[in-house]
Amino acid sequence: MKRRLSTLVVLFLLILSPSLMAKEGSRLASACDLGYNLSLGLLGKARGAKTDSVLANAQANAKSLGVKLPAFPTMGADKSKDTAAAIHYLLKETAPVTKAMKSDKEILMMEVGMKANLMRLLYSPGDDHGLAKILGDRCKRIGVPGTTCAD
């Protein structure tokens, strides 16, 4: 199940998002990249990885969309607390970012990018915390044809 979910997420991010770019321009790709880079960078940093370049890419994605990211949470030595702070940031502190975006599809693309990484972190066999269903719903709302994330 985990492999199938990861495959679907990678399929969306790497193959299907270019078709959206052709339809609606690079803003959707930038929004997806923003969510993906921001979540990858913060979740990785919370677990001790060096992610400055990934977070710099997130800042560049935000700038290209004309939005400003809130200050990143401070990370300490407690990986559990740092991971919780990163998740809180992603789910709550980015609200002003989404409000500044120009379309609902941009917001959904950012959400798909973020939740793809959250699913990797939170998934356990038989329990994806509802993220597969959410990703499937968001992909359908964006207009990605044939999305089966929730199946």
Side-chain angles (χ1 to χ4, degrees):
M1 179 73 166
K2 182 177 183 180
R3 182 176 178 177
R4 182 172 178 224
L5 293 173
S6 295
T7 301
L8 290 171
V9 169
V10 169
L11 177 68
F12 172 76
L13 293 173
L14 298 179
I15 297 171
L16 298 177
S17 62
S19 68
L20 289 170
M21 286 190 338
K23 285 185 187 175
E24 299 188 40
S26 63
R27 289 188 62 86
L28 292 180
S30 290
C32 187
D33 287 346
L34 171 58
Y36 187 82
N37 287 327
L38 185 60
S39 59
L40 182 66
L42 288 177
L43 294 169
K45 189 171 186 167
R47 299 174 83 69
K50 300 208 181 306
T51 61
D52 292 341
S53 63
V54 177
L55 291 172
N57 287 339
Q59 291 282 16
N61 296 131
K63 185 176 181 180
S64 75
L65 292 166
V67 297
K68 183 170 174 32
L69 293 174
F72 297 142
T74 303
M75 302 292 174
D78 186 329
K79 290 181 182 179
S80 294
K81 286 183 181 178
D82 292 345
T83 300
I87 292 171
H88 174 81
Y89 178 95
L90 294 169
L91 298 178
K92 301 291 183 190
E93 301 299 321
T94 57
V97 174
T98 59
K99 288 179 183 171
M101 290 186 163
K102 294 188 177 189
S103 75
D104 288 344
K105 283 189 177 184
E106 288 178 14
I107 295 167
L108 293 171
M109 288 293 283
M110 181 177 163
E111 183 180 1
V112 166
M114 282 194 309
K115 289 189 175 163
N117 282 320
L118 282 172
M119 186 162 65
R120 288 187 189 122
L121 175 72
L122 299 174
Y123 176 84
S124 61
D127 185 9
D128 67 4
H129 300 278
L131 287 169
K133 186 174 182 177
I134 291 169
L135 284 168
D137 172 71
R138 299 320 184 254
C139 291
K140 287 176 186 172
R141 288 173 56 191
I142 294 164
V144 175
T147 303
T148 58
C149 292
D151 293 346

